[in-house]
Amino acid sequence: MSEAEISETFDCFGSSCAVFVIGSGQQGSAQSAVDLVRRQLEAWHGRFSRFLPDSELSLLNDDERQEVPVSPLMARFAQAVVIAGSFTEGLVDATLIDQIETAGYVEDLSHSLALAIALRLAPARKPAAASMSRQWQRVEVNLAKSTITRPPGVKLDSGGLAKGLFADVLAEALRSHPSFAINCAGDLAIGGAEAVTRPIRVSSPFDGRILHTFNLRQTGVATSGIGRRSWLDSSRSPAHHLLDPSTGKPAFTGIVQITALAPSALMAEVHAKAAILSGPRAAPGWLPHGGVIVLDDGTHRVIEPAPVVTLSQLSAYTQHPRMQAHQAA
Amino acid sequence: MDSHNQASSERSPSYSREQLSASGLARSRRAAIRRRARRIRRVVASFAAVLFSTVFLVVYVQLASGHDPALSKKHTAATAVVNTASTAGNTSTSKSTKSSTTAPSTSTESTKTASAVTTSQS
């Protein structure tokens, strides 16, 4: 007996989202689950976009009160901002809205600067560093009361962290289905009750060719880079959406794209951003669960996830003829 | 009467014969309780050791023979490919693609085929 996979690809978050579901589960049929994911993501886009003046995020950022009541998901997002800042010691800073708007990212970008041109015009490469002000440290979240406390003026940028969070929340809703994958504009959550292996292909930011394929069952995957959402600023310098928190300007570190694997899509997003901002030397340290690093010159390095060794594999190893010969010697 | 009892009776000359025989009886009962507790402890320890060894042996033999239950689930690699690479250029017009992929099946077992997902920067 075979089961059909239902999938749908649609535009959301100024990018492309996709959902794949096999079999029935808590959300009903695979088709019902796909519909739910699409409905939910589109609703969240309306609430978390900083480009919509009446979105919950825009209203929060403009709120003059110190303590602001928010929706439970917004509270979780704010908590993710604090965790990301704390985990990366300020390298992943989602409070840089003023800086990114100053850099020129004030609306959804429909076109990007060609990566090769951006790299040619870019300043000298150097690793990014944390901001001195560390605004994320001033954000306090009360999940029980669904409130966010911060000095007025400290603004949150939904960026990649929100997409990772959305993928994880939806993955939780779909976990009883035999298999699913949710691609939330580059942040993926894959899993399911039957742990079906799914190939995850990493494409090149230069020409779109497949650089590597991971075969994964239950994990989070995030790809972050400077190849898209890029533009020429007012001084005709290349700019993109990944800022160096220490300067508030687009970071050119020598890495153009990172794909990170992690137990959740949110953590994968944090690992990917931290890796790309820390530069080629420190990036592998941010990929403990595996990933792919693509450098400015087009070369790439694959870091395979640590293998899971079962008891039977260990037993088979100890029973290997060469091992036995070694023991006999 | 042995020297030990003699010494005891010298230390407690006021005890009657009935009292002495009662304390002797209590002593022997205490010793009996201790012996019984030791016996029970030994039986429980032996039973636990045998049970653990049996379970360990069963699990070890099963895994060593290549019958890991975690590996026996039917995992199938994908054949279908769906490209979900996100592009900034396609955001001006809203579009949606629906698809349904049916996995090849055998007559005896359930087979699930998961589509490949291509990840690229958003």
Side-chain angles (χ1 to χ4, degrees):
Chain A
M1 181 75 193
S2 62
E3 277 193 83
E5 178 174 71
I6 307 294
S7 67
E8 190 169 354
T9 304
F10 52 95
D11 291 339
C12 197
F13 304 115
S15 187
S16 179
C17 295
V19 54
F20 307 82
V21 181
I22 297 177
S24 307
Q26 201 180 353
Q27 304 304 330
S29 67
Q31 185 61 59
S32 309
V34 167
D35 292 343
L36 168 87
V37 169
R38 179 173 183 166
R39 259 197 329 273
Q40 201 60 261
L41 286 178
E42 287 173 343
W44 286 337
H45 174 247
R47 280 171 48 197
F48 283 79
S49 172
R50 69 181 169 91
F51 301 124
L52 300 174
D54 57 348
S55 71
E56 186 183 356
L57 184 71
S58 297
L59 295 176
L60 167 68
N61 286 338
D62 293 340
D63 204 308
E64 293 296 321
R65 288 173 292 178
Q66 192 96 4
E67 184 178 289
V68 185
V70 293
S71 65
L73 191 60
M74 184 62 79
R76 281 183 70 178
F77 163 66
Q79 193 188 39
V81 170
V82 178
I83 289 171
S86 170
F87 183 71
T88 61
E89 295 181 332
L91 208 50
V92 177
D93 190 337
T95 61
L96 303 175
I97 285 198
D98 291 337
Q99 289 87 333
I100 200 155
E101 287 182 349
T102 304
Y105 191 12
V106 289
E107 59 181 1
D108 260 336
L109 297 168
S110 57
H111 298 287
S112 292
L113 188 63
L115 184 55
I117 296 173
L119 292 174
R120 207 175 317 131
L121 298 173
R125 314 301 193 253
K126 72 177 179 71
S131 154
M132 294 295 281
S133 61
R134 292 178 181 244
Q135 298 276 44
W136 52 270
Q137 281 184 329
R138 306 169 77 185
V139 178
E140 285 175 25
V141 183
N142 186 329
L143 286 178
K145 285 168 60 187
S146 267
T147 58
I148 296 173
T149 307
R150 84 284 177 264
V154 173
K155 298 176 182 173
L156 306 183
D157 182 8
S158 50
L161 294 181
K163 292 165 197 160
L165 175 65
F166 298 157
D168 288 340
V169 170
L170 291 169
E172 184 63 25
L174 264 54
R175 68 178 174 168
S176 60
H177 291 260
S179 175
F180 67 83
I182 300 160
N183 183 358
C184 194
D187 288 356
L188 271 80
I190 66 169
E194 293 188 14
V196 178
T197 300
R198 187 179 290 274
I200 303 296
R201 300 174 162 182
V202 179
S203 67
S204 165
F206 291 98
D207 52 15
R209 75 193 162 91
I210 302 302
L211 298 175
H212 186 71
T213 302
F214 292 106
N215 288 307
L216 304 167
R217 290 176 191 163
Q218 306 225 4
T219 190
V221 184
T223 298
S224 191
I226 63 172
R228 295 203 177 112
R229 297 173 196 268
S230 57
W231 63 94
L232 282 178
D233 66 13
S234 53
S235 62
R236 310 301 292 166
S237 298
H240 57 78
H241 68 294
L242 288 178
L243 300 187
D244 177 348
S246 66
T247 61
K249 294 188 172 155
F252 288 93
T253 63
I255 296 176
V256 292
Q257 179 178 288
I258 291 278
T259 296
L261 312 183
S264 72
L266 177 61
M267 285 315 292
E269 172 69 25
V270 173
H271 281 291
K273 282 218 161 48
I276 198 166
L277 289 171
S278 61
R281 284 187 67 183
W286 285 107
L287 303 172
H289 307 285
V292 178
I293 303 168
V294 185
L295 301 175
D296 278 8
D297 60 6
T299 58
H300 70 279
R301 176 182 169 188
V302 176
I303 299 171
E304 287 288 352
V308 177
V309 181
T310 62
L311 270 177
S312 60
Q313 286 168 325
L314 274 178
S315 303
Y317 179 72
T318 55
Q319 288 165 4
H320 193 274
R322 200 191 302 169
M323 185 75 177
Q324 286 172 346
H326 176 72
Q327 283 168 345
Chain B
M1 190 176 284
D2 60 14
S3 61
H4 177 73
N5 286 344
Q6 209 166 17
S8 304
S9 59
E10 278 168 10
R11 280 201 301 274
S12 53
S14 60
Y15 289 159
S16 67
R17 181 174 284 274
E18 288 78 17
Q19 281 174 319
L20 285 174
S21 67
S23 64
L25 187 63
R27 234 188 341 264
S28 68
R29 281 195 177 168
R30 274 200 302 274
I33 288 169
R34 272 191 221 107
R35 274 198 303 276
R36 185 162 176 264
R38 247 196 317 269
R39 198 175 60 244
I40 292 170
R41 211 176 290 135
R42 254 189 238 121
V43 168
V44 169
S46 315
F47 180 74
V50 168
L51 185 68
F52 174 80
S53 308
T54 309
V55 171
F56 183 86
L57 206 63
V58 167
V59 172
Y60 183 85
V61 168
Q62 190 183 11
L63 295 182
S65 63
H67 296 99
D68 187 341
L71 293 177
S72 69
K73 282 185 181 175
K74 301 291 178 290
H75 299 298
T76 314
T79 50
V81 177
V82 178
N83 192 334
T84 63
S86 51
T87 54
N90 64 9
T91 56
S92 54
T93 54
S94 179
K95 62 180 183 183
S96 169
T97 314
K98 293 189 182 189
S99 68
S100 169
T101 312
T102 306
S105 65
T106 65
S107 56
T108 53
E109 63 184 32
S110 170
T111 310
K112 292 184 175 60
T113 302
S115 299
V117 180
T118 303
T119 177
S120 61
Q121 54 190 276
S122 58

